Amino acid sequence: MIRIGICDDEAEARDGLRFALEKVLREGREEIVYEFVSGKNAASWLKKHPGEIDLLFLDVEMKEPNGMETARYIRTFDEEILIVFVTGHKDYVFDGYEADALDYVLKPAEPERLKRILERVRRIMEKNREKTFIFKNMDGAYRLPFGRILYFYSDRRKVSAVTREKEYPFYGNLDEIQTIAGKNFVRIHQRYLVNVRKVERIGKNEVEVEGILLPVSRNMKADALAALARSVLEE
């Protein structure tokens, strides 16, 4: 599933790009989920909803903040989202690489050009699938890179994925998540699964992650501390 956003301050331009994209999207697997009328609006929403959009088509020549300024700001809190600049002038094309843009589209967008870009996006998404945790809750569907998750904790049937910015609760099973997450996540407690790359300090009965103390249970202590110590030595 590829979730797409369009950001342009002109309604006619948004409509034109949406119509062109709809000709080449794979039905049921790719969809345009959000449209933004300004760079400020897009950046603010993306910061509050990380992982909800995979691909953003961003107009360069918007009113302040313009597309380049918007992209640079987005990169301060999201390095994963794929950005494609939309522009009416070739002069702006090379500036896009400063914001780590995937590609660019000249207005009016041609379906064949969009088709080639989407093929690149599909390959990238497939390659990164194992590095991403996908889940749903009442607020929507999320795709969080494992590298952004500090730890998981469970409370009965609910599990929360904790990042630096916020917590994401959902219904799940910590044992199953541990299998999916792989070797970089270590069980330190019946209720806690921690990202070893985020551990700042290993104490006698706890570990510290981003200033948060998490308990290490007695029956998991030996295996957990050994795994955490190995991770620190490997870095």
Side-chain angles (χ1 to χ4, degrees):
M1 183 68 178
I2 300 176
R3 295 160 300 177
I4 301 169
I6 295 174
C7 181
D8 198 307
D9 56 1
E10 296 182 359
E12 185 176 347
R14 291 195 305 274
D15 291 342
L17 180 55
R18 183 176 68 252
F19 294 150
L21 277 167
E22 287 173 346
K23 294 179 181 179
V24 295
L25 293 179
R26 293 178 178 175
E27 188 174 352
R29 297 177 60 186
E30 300 162 357
E31 63 177 331
I32 300 165
V33 292
Y34 291 102
E35 294 187 21
F36 305 101
V37 299
S38 71
K40 183 178 181 180
N41 178 249
S44 176
W45 190 92
L46 289 168
K47 191 170 186 178
K48 294 177 182 177
H49 300 83
E52 285 201 39
I53 288 180
D54 306 302
L55 172 62
L56 178 65
F57 285 89
L58 184 59
D59 180 45
V60 175
E61 298 95 10
M62 292 187 294
K63 296 176 182 177
E64 292 187 1
N66 62 35
M68 292 297 172
E69 293 166 337
T70 300
R72 293 188 189 105
Y73 178 60
I74 290 172
R75 285 293 179 232
T76 65
F77 60 83
D78 191 340
E79 297 180 356
E80 306 296 329
I81 189 171
L82 301 173
I83 296 176
V84 173
F85 282 115
V86 184
T87 177
H89 306 281
K90 287 186 177 181
D91 296 343
Y92 290 109
V93 169
F94 293 105
D95 293 339
Y97 295 106
E98 294 179 18
D100 195 24
L102 174 70
D103 214 323
Y104 71 93
V105 173
L106 289 175
K107 295 182 179 180
E110 297 180 358
E112 280 302 313
R113 174 67 174 164
L114 295 173
K115 185 177 180 180
R116 290 195 295 272
I117 290 174
L118 284 171
E119 287 171 352
R120 288 185 63 194
V121 171
R122 290 165 191 146
R123 289 194 296 270
I124 292 170
M125 296 286 289
E126 182 65 28
K127 185 177 180 181
N128 292 338
R129 180 179 297 177
E130 294 183 358
K131 302 177 183 178
T132 307
F133 182 62
I134 302 170
F135 63 98
K136 293 181 180 180
N137 62 20
M138 293 181 65
D139 296 323
Y142 293 86
R143 184 182 279 113
L144 289 179
F146 278 113
R148 290 180 58 185
I149 300 173
L150 304 179
Y151 61 91
F152 294 93
Y153 77 87
S154 66
D155 184 8
R156 296 184 178 88
R157 293 180 58 216
K158 278 191 176 181
V159 176
S160 290
V162 180
T163 68
R164 183 179 288 114
E165 298 81 17
K166 62 185 292 186
E167 295 185 13
Y168 300 86
F170 58 96
Y171 287 102
N173 180 286
L174 210 55
D175 291 332
E176 295 175 358
I177 294 170
Q178 184 175 6
T179 300
I180 295 169
K183 65 179 182 178
N184 283 337
F185 282 77
V186 172
R187 194 71 166 268
I188 61 170
H189 189 281
Q190 191 64 27
R191 296 177 57 190
Y192 291 92
L193 178 66
V194 66
N195 184 343
V196 297
R197 303 295 182 185
K198 302 298 182 180
V199 173
E200 299 171 330
R201 182 177 65 85
I202 302 172
K204 185 177 180 180
N205 296 303
E206 77 282 327
V207 297
E208 185 174 349
V209 180
E210 297 283 338
I212 302 169
L213 295 180
L214 303 177
V216 178
S217 66
R218 183 180 301 175
N219 63 335
M220 295 183 178
K221 183 175 180 180
D223 291 341
L225 294 183
L228 291 168
R230 282 197 302 271
S231 173
V232 171
L233 292 173
E234 288 172 0
E235 290 186 353

